[in-house]
Amino acid sequence: MNNSNVKITAKEILSDNWYTLNKVTFEYKRKDGSWETQSREAYDRGNGATILLYNKETQSVILTRQFRLPTYLNGNEDGMLIETCAGLLDKDNPETAIKRETEEETGYKITDVKKVFEAYMSPGSVTEIVYFFVAEYSKEVRISDGGGHHEEQENIEVLEIPFNDALSMVINGEIKDGKTIMLLQYAQLNALVSKT
């Protein structure tokens, strides 16, 4: 942290039940040179990674579907969300983490991944940076049914969807997950799934 216009004066843990919710009080120097005291809550759950698996030959992508409580609490009728495979880094580097998560969640064992960008997904309240990857898949690299870890209470359905259908699902609201929309649009802009 290297911003001379910010002085953190206090940090209080409000919750560390699942991850850590901090209340941070800080002084912020305004453009007119005056200082004001502000207080914000920041949720720290670590950083994450996500990946779009695509197949040029079949022009399809691998997505997942699982129950997401926060969406259920905010208008998602059944709480089910269609997403790209994703997970926390758990102290691994992003590439190692996304390969692990891909195998656990989708059953595909991939070796070559490409990082395409990274982004803060909810910078007003969550500290997390998400690292975005893409990788080609084929039926030959599927080693299990996936579904996630039972002990982590994951109950993940693996979906193989034609790429154009996935794009339509964004437009009609069936896909509402930000990271998934970003990676599908990246694939469209870069013609990843088009036959060449």
Short mmCIF file of all heavy atoms in Angstrom, two decimals, residues 42-109:
data_model
loop_
_atom_site.label_atom_id
_atom_site.label_comp_id
_atom_site.label_asym_id
_atom_site.label_seq_id
_atom_site.Cartn_x
_atom_site.Cartn_y
_atom_site.Cartn_z
N ALA A 42 -14.70 -4.31 4.39
CA ALA A 42 -14.06 -5.02 3.28
C ALA A 42 -14.04 -6.51 3.61
O ALA A 42 -13.57 -6.91 4.68
CB ALA A 42 -12.65 -4.50 3.05
N TYR A 43 -14.53 -7.30 2.69
CA TYR A 43 -14.59 -8.75 2.87
C TYR A 43 -13.40 -9.38 2.17
O TYR A 43 -13.18 -9.18 0.98
CB TYR A 43 -15.90 -9.26 2.27
CG TYR A 43 -16.21 -10.71 2.57
CD1 TYR A 43 -16.22 -11.20 3.87
CD2 TYR A 43 -16.54 -11.59 1.55
CE1 TYR A 43 -16.53 -12.52 4.15
CE2 TYR A 43 -16.86 -12.92 1.81
CZ TYR A 43 -16.85 -13.38 3.11
OH TYR A 43 -17.16 -14.68 3.38
N ASP A 44 -12.59 -10.11 2.94
CA ASP A 44 -11.39 -10.75 2.40
C ASP A 44 -11.59 -12.26 2.38
O ASP A 44 -11.63 -12.91 3.43
CB ASP A 44 -10.17 -10.38 3.27
CG ASP A 44 -8.87 -10.93 2.72
OD1 ASP A 44 -8.90 -11.71 1.74
OD2 ASP A 44 -7.82 -10.57 3.27
N ARG A 45 -11.73 -12.79 1.18
CA ARG A 45 -11.89 -14.23 1.03
C ARG A 45 -10.75 -14.84 0.23
O ARG A 45 -10.82 -15.97 -0.23
CB ARG A 45 -13.24 -14.55 0.37
CG ARG A 45 -13.42 -13.91 -0.99
CD ARG A 45 -14.81 -14.05 -1.54
NE ARG A 45 -15.24 -15.43 -1.65
CZ ARG A 45 -15.08 -16.19 -2.72
NH1 ARG A 45 -14.47 -15.71 -3.79
NH2 ARG A 45 -15.52 -17.41 -2.75
N GLY A 46 -9.70 -14.06 0.02
CA GLY A 46 -8.59 -14.52 -0.80
C GLY A 46 -8.86 -14.22 -2.27
O GLY A 46 -9.90 -13.67 -2.63
N ASN A 47 -7.89 -14.55 -3.10
CA ASN A 47 -8.03 -14.33 -4.54
C ASN A 47 -8.47 -15.61 -5.22
O ASN A 47 -8.35 -16.70 -4.67
CB ASN A 47 -6.71 -13.83 -5.13
CG ASN A 47 -6.36 -12.45 -4.60
OD1 ASN A 47 -7.22 -11.63 -4.35
ND2 ASN A 47 -5.07 -12.20 -4.39
N GLY A 48 -8.99 -15.47 -6.44
CA GLY A 48 -9.54 -16.62 -7.14
C GLY A 48 -9.11 -16.68 -8.59
O GLY A 48 -8.42 -15.78 -9.09
N ALA A 49 -9.54 -17.74 -9.24
CA ALA A 49 -9.26 -17.93 -10.67
C ALA A 49 -10.48 -18.56 -11.32
O ALA A 49 -11.25 -19.28 -10.67
CB ALA A 49 -8.03 -18.81 -10.87
N THR A 50 -10.67 -18.29 -12.59
CA THR A 50 -11.77 -18.86 -13.36
C THR A 50 -11.28 -19.19 -14.75
O THR A 50 -10.28 -18.62 -15.23
CB THR A 50 -12.97 -17.88 -13.39
OG1 THR A 50 -14.08 -18.53 -14.02
CG2 THR A 50 -12.63 -16.60 -14.16
N ILE A 51 -11.98 -20.13 -15.41
CA ILE A 51 -11.52 -20.57 -16.72
C ILE A 51 -12.70 -20.91 -17.63
O ILE A 51 -13.71 -21.44 -17.17
CB ILE A 51 -10.59 -21.80 -16.59
CG1 ILE A 51 -9.90 -22.11 -17.93
CG2 ILE A 51 -11.34 -23.02 -16.05
CD1 ILE A 51 -8.72 -23.06 -17.79
N LEU A 52 -12.55 -20.57 -18.90
CA LEU A 52 -13.50 -21.01 -19.93
C LEU A 52 -12.83 -22.13 -20.72
O LEU A 52 -11.79 -21.91 -21.36
CB LEU A 52 -13.88 -19.86 -20.86
CG LEU A 52 -14.87 -20.25 -21.97
CD1 LEU A 52 -16.24 -20.61 -21.38
CD2 LEU A 52 -15.00 -19.14 -23.00
N LEU A 53 -13.40 -23.31 -20.64
CA LEU A 53 -12.94 -24.43 -21.47
C LEU A 53 -13.72 -24.38 -22.77
O LEU A 53 -14.96 -24.27 -22.77
CB LEU A 53 -13.21 -25.76 -20.76
CG LEU A 53 -12.52 -25.97 -19.41
CD1 LEU A 53 -12.92 -27.31 -18.82
CD2 LEU A 53 -11.01 -25.87 -19.55
N TYR A 54 -13.01 -24.45 -23.89
CA TYR A 54 -13.67 -24.36 -25.19
C TYR A 54 -13.13 -25.44 -26.13
O TYR A 54 -12.00 -25.91 -25.98
CB TYR A 54 -13.49 -22.97 -25.81
CG TYR A 54 -12.06 -22.64 -26.16
CD1 TYR A 54 -11.57 -22.86 -27.45
CD2 TYR A 54 -11.20 -22.09 -25.21
CE1 TYR A 54 -10.25 -22.56 -27.77
CE2 TYR A 54 -9.88 -21.79 -25.53
CZ TYR A 54 -9.42 -22.03 -26.81
OH TYR A 54 -8.11 -21.75 -27.12
N ASN A 55 -13.96 -25.83 -27.09
CA ASN A 55 -13.58 -26.83 -28.08
C ASN A 55 -13.91 -26.28 -29.46
O ASN A 55 -15.08 -26.05 -29.78
CB ASN A 55 -14.34 -28.14 -27.82
CG ASN A 55 -13.92 -29.25 -28.75
OD1 ASN A 55 -13.97 -29.11 -29.97
ND2 ASN A 55 -13.52 -30.36 -28.18
N LYS A 56 -12.87 -26.03 -30.25
CA LYS A 56 -13.07 -25.46 -31.58
C LYS A 56 -13.81 -26.41 -32.51
O LYS A 56 -14.63 -26.00 -33.32
CB LYS A 56 -11.72 -25.09 -32.21
CG LYS A 56 -11.09 -23.85 -31.63
CD LYS A 56 -9.82 -23.50 -32.38
CE LYS A 56 -9.22 -22.23 -31.82
NZ LYS A 56 -8.00 -21.82 -32.54
N GLU A 57 -13.49 -27.69 -32.39
CA GLU A 57 -14.08 -28.68 -33.30
C GLU A 57 -15.59 -28.78 -33.12
O GLU A 57 -16.35 -28.76 -34.08
CB GLU A 57 -13.43 -30.05 -33.07
CG GLU A 57 -13.85 -31.11 -34.08
CD GLU A 57 -13.51 -30.74 -35.53
OE1 GLU A 57 -12.47 -30.10 -35.76
OE2 GLU A 57 -14.32 -31.11 -36.42
N THR A 58 -16.03 -28.87 -31.87
CA THR A 58 -17.47 -29.00 -31.60
C THR A 58 -18.14 -27.65 -31.38
O THR A 58 -19.37 -27.59 -31.26
CB THR A 58 -17.71 -29.87 -30.34
OG1 THR A 58 -17.09 -29.23 -29.22
CG2 THR A 58 -17.13 -31.27 -30.52
N GLN A 59 -17.34 -26.59 -31.34
CA GLN A 59 -17.83 -25.23 -31.08
C GLN A 59 -18.68 -25.19 -29.82
O GLN A 59 -19.80 -24.67 -29.80
CB GLN A 59 -18.59 -24.69 -32.30
CG GLN A 59 -17.68 -24.52 -33.50
CD GLN A 59 -18.32 -23.71 -34.60
OE1 GLN A 59 -19.26 -22.97 -34.39
NE2 GLN A 59 -17.77 -23.81 -35.80
N SER A 60 -18.11 -25.75 -28.75
CA SER A 60 -18.82 -25.81 -27.48
C SER A 60 -17.93 -25.34 -26.34
O SER A 60 -16.71 -25.21 -26.49
CB SER A 60 -19.30 -27.24 -27.22
OG SER A 60 -18.20 -28.13 -27.24
N VAL A 61 -18.57 -25.08 -25.20
CA VAL A 61 -17.86 -24.66 -24.00
C VAL A 61 -18.35 -25.51 -22.82
O VAL A 61 -19.45 -26.05 -22.84
CB VAL A 61 -18.07 -23.16 -23.70
CG1 VAL A 61 -17.42 -22.30 -24.77
CG2 VAL A 61 -19.55 -22.82 -23.55
N ILE A 62 -17.50 -25.60 -21.81
CA ILE A 62 -17.86 -26.29 -20.58
C ILE A 62 -18.18 -25.24 -19.51
O ILE A 62 -17.36 -24.38 -19.21
CB ILE A 62 -16.72 -27.20 -20.07
CG1 ILE A 62 -16.41 -28.29 -21.09
CG2 ILE A 62 -17.08 -27.80 -18.70
CD1 ILE A 62 -17.51 -29.30 -21.32
N LEU A 63 -19.39 -25.33 -18.97
CA LEU A 63 -19.81 -24.46 -17.87
C LEU A 63 -20.30 -25.34 -16.73
O LEU A 63 -20.42 -26.55 -16.87
CB LEU A 63 -20.91 -23.50 -18.34
CG LEU A 63 -20.52 -22.54 -19.48
CD1 LEU A 63 -21.73 -21.72 -19.93
CD2 LEU A 63 -19.38 -21.62 -19.07
N THR A 64 -20.57 -24.72 -15.60
CA THR A 64 -21.07 -25.46 -14.45
C THR A 64 -22.37 -24.82 -13.97
O THR A 64 -22.66 -23.66 -14.28
CB THR A 64 -20.05 -25.46 -13.29
OG1 THR A 64 -19.86 -24.12 -12.83
CG2 THR A 64 -18.73 -26.06 -13.72
N ARG A 65 -23.14 -25.60 -13.21
CA ARG A 65 -24.35 -25.06 -12.59
C ARG A 65 -24.36 -25.50 -11.13
O ARG A 65 -24.14 -26.68 -10.84
CB ARG A 65 -25.61 -25.54 -13.28
CG ARG A 65 -26.87 -24.98 -12.64
CD ARG A 65 -28.19 -25.28 -13.33
NE ARG A 65 -28.18 -26.40 -14.20
CZ ARG A 65 -28.69 -26.41 -15.44
NH1 ARG A 65 -29.21 -25.31 -15.94
NH2 ARG A 65 -28.66 -27.50 -16.16
N GLN A 66 -24.56 -24.53 -10.24
CA GLN A 66 -24.63 -24.86 -8.82
C GLN A 66 -25.47 -23.83 -8.09
O GLN A 66 -25.74 -22.74 -8.59
CB GLN A 66 -23.24 -24.96 -8.21
CG GLN A 66 -22.41 -23.71 -8.24
CD GLN A 66 -21.02 -23.93 -7.70
OE1 GLN A 66 -20.85 -24.39 -6.57
NE2 GLN A 66 -20.01 -23.62 -8.49
N PHE A 67 -25.89 -24.20 -6.87
CA PHE A 67 -26.69 -23.31 -6.04
C PHE A 67 -25.80 -22.24 -5.43
O PHE A 67 -24.74 -22.54 -4.87
CB PHE A 67 -27.37 -24.11 -4.92
CG PHE A 67 -28.20 -23.26 -4.01
CD1 PHE A 67 -29.42 -22.76 -4.42
CD2 PHE A 67 -27.75 -22.95 -2.73
CE1 PHE A 67 -30.19 -21.96 -3.58
CE2 PHE A 67 -28.51 -22.16 -1.88
CZ PHE A 67 -29.73 -21.67 -2.30
N ARG A 68 -26.23 -20.98 -5.54
CA ARG A 68 -25.49 -19.84 -4.98
C ARG A 68 -26.45 -19.05 -4.07
O ARG A 68 -27.32 -18.31 -4.55
CB ARG A 68 -24.95 -18.95 -6.09
CG ARG A 68 -23.89 -19.59 -6.96
CD ARG A 68 -22.68 -19.98 -6.16
NE ARG A 68 -21.50 -20.15 -7.02
CZ ARG A 68 -20.32 -20.52 -6.57
NH1 ARG A 68 -20.15 -20.76 -5.28
NH2 ARG A 68 -19.30 -20.64 -7.39
N LEU A 69 -26.28 -19.23 -2.76
CA LEU A 69 -27.19 -18.62 -1.80
C LEU A 69 -27.35 -17.11 -1.98
O LEU A 69 -28.49 -16.62 -1.96
CB LEU A 69 -26.75 -18.94 -0.36
CG LEU A 69 -27.58 -18.29 0.74
CD1 LEU A 69 -29.01 -18.81 0.72
CD2 LEU A 69 -26.94 -18.47 2.09
N PRO A 70 -26.27 -16.32 -2.12
CA PRO A 70 -26.48 -14.88 -2.25
C PRO A 70 -27.40 -14.50 -3.42
O PRO A 70 -28.18 -13.55 -3.31
CB PRO A 70 -25.06 -14.32 -2.45
CG PRO A 70 -24.19 -15.31 -1.72
CD PRO A 70 -24.83 -16.64 -2.02
N THR A 71 -27.33 -15.24 -4.53
CA THR A 71 -28.23 -14.93 -5.65
C THR A 71 -29.66 -15.29 -5.31
O THR A 71 -30.60 -14.61 -5.71
CB THR A 71 -27.80 -15.65 -6.95
OG1 THR A 71 -28.13 -17.05 -6.88
CG2 THR A 71 -26.33 -15.48 -7.22
N TYR A 72 -29.83 -16.36 -4.54
CA TYR A 72 -31.16 -16.80 -4.10
C TYR A 72 -31.80 -15.74 -3.21
O TYR A 72 -33.00 -15.48 -3.28
CB TYR A 72 -31.02 -18.13 -3.37
CG TYR A 72 -32.32 -18.81 -3.01
CD1 TYR A 72 -33.22 -19.23 -4.01
CD2 TYR A 72 -32.64 -19.07 -1.68
CE1 TYR A 72 -34.40 -19.87 -3.67
CE2 TYR A 72 -33.82 -19.71 -1.34
CZ TYR A 72 -34.70 -20.11 -2.35
OH TYR A 72 -35.85 -20.75 -2.02
N LEU A 73 -30.98 -15.12 -2.38
CA LEU A 73 -31.46 -14.07 -1.47
C LEU A 73 -31.77 -12.77 -2.20
O LEU A 73 -32.43 -11.89 -1.65
CB LEU A 73 -30.42 -13.80 -0.38
CG LEU A 73 -30.10 -14.97 0.56
CD1 LEU A 73 -28.96 -14.60 1.50
CD2 LEU A 73 -31.33 -15.41 1.33
N ASN A 74 -31.28 -12.66 -3.45
CA ASN A 74 -31.45 -11.41 -4.20
C ASN A 74 -32.11 -11.64 -5.56
O ASN A 74 -31.65 -11.15 -6.59
CB ASN A 74 -30.09 -10.71 -4.38
CG ASN A 74 -30.25 -9.29 -4.89
OD1 ASN A 74 -31.29 -8.67 -4.72
ND2 ASN A 74 -29.22 -8.77 -5.52
N GLY A 75 -33.20 -12.41 -5.56
CA GLY A 75 -34.04 -12.47 -6.74
C GLY A 75 -33.85 -13.64 -7.69
O GLY A 75 -34.64 -13.80 -8.62
N ASN A 76 -32.82 -14.45 -7.51
CA ASN A 76 -32.64 -15.63 -8.37
C ASN A 76 -33.56 -16.72 -7.84
O ASN A 76 -33.31 -17.31 -6.80
CB ASN A 76 -31.18 -16.09 -8.36
CG ASN A 76 -30.90 -17.23 -9.31
OD1 ASN A 76 -31.78 -17.68 -10.04
ND2 ASN A 76 -29.67 -17.71 -9.31
N GLU A 77 -34.66 -16.99 -8.56
CA GLU A 77 -35.76 -17.81 -8.04
C GLU A 77 -35.36 -19.14 -7.44
O GLU A 77 -35.82 -19.52 -6.38
CB GLU A 77 -36.81 -18.04 -9.14
CG GLU A 77 -37.94 -17.05 -9.05
CD GLU A 77 -39.05 -17.36 -10.03
OE1 GLU A 77 -39.39 -18.54 -10.21
OE2 GLU A 77 -39.56 -16.40 -10.61
N ASP A 78 -34.50 -19.89 -8.14
CA ASP A 78 -34.10 -21.20 -7.60
C ASP A 78 -32.68 -21.19 -7.05
O ASP A 78 -32.20 -22.19 -6.52
CB ASP A 78 -34.28 -22.31 -8.62
CG ASP A 78 -33.40 -22.14 -9.87
OD1 ASP A 78 -32.60 -21.18 -9.92
OD2 ASP A 78 -33.52 -22.98 -10.78
N GLY A 79 -32.00 -20.07 -7.18
CA GLY A 79 -30.65 -19.95 -6.65
C GLY A 79 -29.58 -20.64 -7.48
O GLY A 79 -28.40 -20.59 -7.13
N MET A 80 -29.96 -21.28 -8.58
CA MET A 80 -29.00 -21.97 -9.42
C MET A 80 -28.35 -20.97 -10.38
O MET A 80 -29.03 -20.11 -10.94
CB MET A 80 -29.67 -23.10 -10.21
CG MET A 80 -30.34 -24.14 -9.32
SD MET A 80 -29.24 -24.94 -8.13
CE MET A 80 -28.29 -26.01 -9.21
N LEU A 81 -27.02 -21.10 -10.54
CA LEU A 81 -26.29 -20.17 -11.39
C LEU A 81 -25.40 -20.93 -12.34
O LEU A 81 -24.71 -21.88 -11.94
CB LEU A 81 -25.44 -19.24 -10.51
CG LEU A 81 -25.08 -17.87 -11.09
CD1 LEU A 81 -26.33 -17.03 -11.30
CD2 LEU A 81 -24.12 -17.15 -10.17
N ILE A 82 -25.42 -20.56 -13.60
CA ILE A 82 -24.54 -21.14 -14.61
C ILE A 82 -23.29 -20.29 -14.67
O ILE A 82 -23.36 -19.07 -14.82
CB ILE A 82 -25.24 -21.21 -15.99
CG1 ILE A 82 -26.46 -22.14 -15.90
CG2 ILE A 82 -24.26 -21.69 -17.06
CD1 ILE A 82 -27.31 -22.15 -17.15
N GLU A 83 -22.13 -20.96 -14.54
CA GLU A 83 -20.86 -20.24 -14.41
C GLU A 83 -19.72 -20.96 -15.12
O GLU A 83 -19.80 -22.15 -15.38
CB GLU A 83 -20.44 -20.17 -12.93
CG GLU A 83 -21.46 -19.66 -11.97
CD GLU A 83 -20.97 -19.79 -10.54
OE1 GLU A 83 -19.82 -19.40 -10.25
OE2 GLU A 83 -21.73 -20.30 -9.71
N THR A 84 -18.65 -20.22 -15.33
CA THR A 84 -17.38 -20.85 -15.69
C THR A 84 -16.83 -21.50 -14.42
O THR A 84 -17.11 -21.07 -13.31
CB THR A 84 -16.37 -19.82 -16.22
OG1 THR A 84 -16.31 -18.71 -15.31
CG2 THR A 84 -16.74 -19.33 -17.61
N CYS A 85 -16.03 -22.53 -14.60
CA CYS A 85 -15.35 -23.19 -13.48
C CYS A 85 -14.50 -22.14 -12.77
O CYS A 85 -13.83 -21.33 -13.41
CB CYS A 85 -14.49 -24.31 -14.05
SG CYS A 85 -13.33 -25.00 -12.87
N ALA A 86 -14.52 -22.18 -11.43
CA ALA A 86 -13.76 -21.18 -10.67
C ALA A 86 -13.48 -21.69 -9.26
O ALA A 86 -14.15 -22.61 -8.78
CB ALA A 86 -14.54 -19.87 -10.60
N GLY A 87 -12.52 -21.05 -8.62
CA GLY A 87 -12.23 -21.39 -7.23
C GLY A 87 -11.19 -20.47 -6.65
O GLY A 87 -10.55 -19.68 -7.36
N LEU A 88 -11.01 -20.57 -5.35
CA LEU A 88 -10.00 -19.77 -4.67
C LEU A 88 -8.60 -20.35 -4.91
O LEU A 88 -8.45 -21.56 -5.16
CB LEU A 88 -10.29 -19.72 -3.17
CG LEU A 88 -11.58 -19.00 -2.79
CD1 LEU A 88 -11.81 -19.07 -1.29
CD2 LEU A 88 -11.56 -17.55 -3.26
N LEU A 89 -7.60 -19.50 -4.81
CA LEU A 89 -6.23 -19.94 -5.06
C LEU A 89 -5.71 -20.87 -3.97
O LEU A 89 -4.88 -21.74 -4.24
CB LEU A 89 -5.29 -18.73 -5.18
CG LEU A 89 -5.62 -17.71 -6.28
CD1 LEU A 89 -4.49 -16.68 -6.38
CD2 LEU A 89 -5.89 -18.35 -7.62
N ASP A 90 -6.18 -20.68 -2.73
CA ASP A 90 -5.72 -21.52 -1.61
C ASP A 90 -4.20 -21.59 -1.53
O ASP A 90 -3.61 -22.66 -1.43
CB ASP A 90 -6.31 -22.92 -1.70
CG ASP A 90 -7.82 -22.93 -1.53
OD1 ASP A 90 -8.34 -22.04 -0.83
OD2 ASP A 90 -8.48 -23.83 -2.09
N LYS A 91 -3.55 -20.42 -1.61
CA LYS A 91 -2.09 -20.28 -1.49
C LYS A 91 -1.31 -20.84 -2.68
O LYS A 91 -0.08 -20.85 -2.66
CB LYS A 91 -1.58 -20.89 -0.18
CG LYS A 91 -2.17 -20.21 1.04
CD LYS A 91 -1.60 -20.76 2.32
CE LYS A 91 -2.23 -20.05 3.51
NZ LYS A 91 -1.79 -20.59 4.78
N ASP A 92 -1.99 -21.33 -3.72
CA ASP A 92 -1.31 -21.73 -4.95
C ASP A 92 -1.19 -20.53 -5.88
O ASP A 92 -1.88 -19.52 -5.70
CB ASP A 92 -2.11 -22.83 -5.68
CG ASP A 92 -1.93 -24.20 -5.06
OD1 ASP A 92 -0.85 -24.46 -4.50
OD2 ASP A 92 -2.88 -24.99 -5.13
N ASN A 93 -0.34 -20.64 -6.91
CA ASN A 93 -0.33 -19.61 -7.93
C ASN A 93 -1.59 -19.80 -8.78
O ASN A 93 -2.20 -20.87 -8.78
CB ASN A 93 0.97 -19.64 -8.75
CG ASN A 93 1.08 -20.90 -9.58
OD1 ASN A 93 0.26 -21.18 -10.43
ND2 ASN A 93 2.14 -21.66 -9.34
N PRO A 94 -2.03 -18.76 -9.50
CA PRO A 94 -3.29 -18.85 -10.23
C PRO A 94 -3.36 -20.01 -11.23
O PRO A 94 -4.39 -20.68 -11.34
CB PRO A 94 -3.38 -17.50 -10.95
CG PRO A 94 -2.62 -16.57 -10.07
CD PRO A 94 -1.47 -17.40 -9.53
N GLU A 95 -2.27 -20.27 -11.95
CA GLU A 95 -2.30 -21.35 -12.95
C GLU A 95 -2.47 -22.72 -12.30
O GLU A 95 -3.27 -23.55 -12.75
CB GLU A 95 -1.02 -21.32 -13.79
CG GLU A 95 -1.03 -22.35 -14.91
CD GLU A 95 0.18 -22.23 -15.82
OE1 GLU A 95 0.55 -21.09 -16.18
OE2 GLU A 95 0.74 -23.28 -16.17
N THR A 96 -1.73 -22.97 -11.24
CA THR A 96 -1.86 -24.25 -10.52
C THR A 96 -3.27 -24.39 -9.95
O THR A 96 -3.88 -25.46 -10.05
CB THR A 96 -0.82 -24.33 -9.38
OG1 THR A 96 0.48 -24.24 -9.97
CG2 THR A 96 -0.95 -25.62 -8.60
N ALA A 97 -3.78 -23.32 -9.38
CA ALA A 97 -5.12 -23.35 -8.77
C ALA A 97 -6.19 -23.65 -9.80
O ALA A 97 -7.09 -24.46 -9.55
CB ALA A 97 -5.40 -22.04 -8.06
N ILE A 98 -6.12 -23.01 -10.98
CA ILE A 98 -7.20 -23.21 -11.94
C ILE A 98 -7.14 -24.61 -12.56
O ILE A 98 -8.17 -25.19 -12.87
CB ILE A 98 -7.24 -22.10 -13.01
CG1 ILE A 98 -8.63 -22.06 -13.66
CG2 ILE A 98 -6.16 -22.27 -14.07
CD1 ILE A 98 -9.79 -21.84 -12.69
N LYS A 99 -5.95 -25.16 -12.70
CA LYS A 99 -5.86 -26.55 -13.18
C LYS A 99 -6.49 -27.50 -12.17
O LYS A 99 -7.21 -28.43 -12.53
CB LYS A 99 -4.40 -26.92 -13.44
CG LYS A 99 -3.81 -26.26 -14.67
CD LYS A 99 -2.34 -26.63 -14.83
CE LYS A 99 -1.73 -25.97 -16.05
NZ LYS A 99 -0.28 -26.28 -16.17
N ARG A 100 -6.22 -27.26 -10.88
CA ARG A 100 -6.80 -28.09 -9.81
C ARG A 100 -8.31 -27.96 -9.80
O ARG A 100 -9.04 -28.96 -9.77
CB ARG A 100 -6.23 -27.64 -8.46
CG ARG A 100 -6.77 -28.40 -7.26
CD ARG A 100 -6.41 -27.74 -5.93
NE ARG A 100 -7.10 -26.47 -5.76
CZ ARG A 100 -6.51 -25.29 -5.58
NH1 ARG A 100 -5.20 -25.20 -5.53
NH2 ARG A 100 -7.24 -24.20 -5.44
N GLU A 101 -8.81 -26.73 -9.84
CA GLU A 101 -10.25 -26.51 -9.81
C GLU A 101 -10.95 -27.10 -11.02
O GLU A 101 -12.05 -27.63 -10.91
CB GLU A 101 -10.56 -25.01 -9.70
CG GLU A 101 -10.21 -24.40 -8.38
CD GLU A 101 -11.05 -24.94 -7.22
OE1 GLU A 101 -12.23 -25.30 -7.42
OE2 GLU A 101 -10.51 -25.01 -6.11
N THR A 102 -10.31 -27.02 -12.17
CA THR A 102 -10.89 -27.56 -13.39
C THR A 102 -11.10 -29.07 -13.26
O THR A 102 -12.16 -29.60 -13.60
CB THR A 102 -10.01 -27.24 -14.62
OG1 THR A 102 -9.89 -25.82 -14.73
CG2 THR A 102 -10.60 -27.80 -15.90
N GLU A 103 -10.08 -29.74 -12.77
CA GLU A 103 -10.19 -31.19 -12.60
C GLU A 103 -11.25 -31.55 -11.56
O GLU A 103 -12.07 -32.44 -11.77
CB GLU A 103 -8.84 -31.77 -12.20
CG GLU A 103 -8.82 -33.28 -12.15
CD GLU A 103 -7.44 -33.85 -11.89
OE1 GLU A 103 -6.42 -33.20 -12.25
OE2 GLU A 103 -7.36 -34.95 -11.33
N GLU A 104 -11.26 -30.84 -10.42
CA GLU A 104 -12.22 -31.13 -9.36
C GLU A 104 -13.66 -30.85 -9.79
O GLU A 104 -14.55 -31.66 -9.54
CB GLU A 104 -11.92 -30.28 -8.11
CG GLU A 104 -10.66 -30.67 -7.39
CD GLU A 104 -10.31 -29.70 -6.26
OE1 GLU A 104 -11.11 -28.78 -5.96
OE2 GLU A 104 -9.23 -29.87 -5.66
N GLU A 105 -13.88 -29.72 -10.44
CA GLU A 105 -15.25 -29.31 -10.77
C GLU A 105 -15.79 -29.93 -12.04
O GLU A 105 -16.95 -30.28 -12.11
CB GLU A 105 -15.35 -27.78 -10.87
CG GLU A 105 -15.20 -27.09 -9.53
CD GLU A 105 -15.56 -25.61 -9.60
OE1 GLU A 105 -15.99 -25.12 -10.66
OE2 GLU A 105 -15.40 -24.94 -8.56
N THR A 106 -14.94 -30.03 -13.08
CA THR A 106 -15.45 -30.49 -14.39
C THR A 106 -15.01 -31.89 -14.76
O THR A 106 -15.59 -32.49 -15.66
CB THR A 106 -14.99 -29.54 -15.51
OG1 THR A 106 -13.58 -29.69 -15.72
CG2 THR A 106 -15.33 -28.09 -15.19
N GLY A 107 -13.95 -32.40 -14.14
CA GLY A 107 -13.44 -33.71 -14.50
C GLY A 107 -12.45 -33.69 -15.65
O GLY A 107 -11.94 -34.73 -16.04
N TYR A 108 -12.15 -32.49 -16.19
CA TYR A 108 -11.19 -32.38 -17.29
C TYR A 108 -9.81 -32.07 -16.71
O TYR A 108 -9.65 -31.14 -15.92
CB TYR A 108 -11.60 -31.28 -18.27
CG TYR A 108 -12.80 -31.66 -19.11
CD1 TYR A 108 -14.09 -31.38 -18.67
CD2 TYR A 108 -12.64 -32.30 -20.33
CE1 TYR A 108 -15.20 -31.74 -19.43
CE2 TYR A 108 -13.74 -32.65 -21.10
CZ TYR A 108 -15.02 -32.38 -20.64
OH TYR A 108 -16.11 -32.74 -21.39
N LYS A 109 -8.81 -32.85 -17.12
CA LYS A 109 -7.43 -32.64 -16.69
C LYS A 109 -6.72 -31.90 -17.81
O LYS A 109 -6.34 -32.49 -18.82
CB LYS A 109 -6.74 -33.96 -16.38
CG LYS A 109 -5.35 -33.80 -15.77
CD LYS A 109 -4.78 -35.14 -15.35
CE LYS A 109 -3.42 -34.99 -14.71
NZ LYS A 109 -3.48 -34.36 -13.38
#
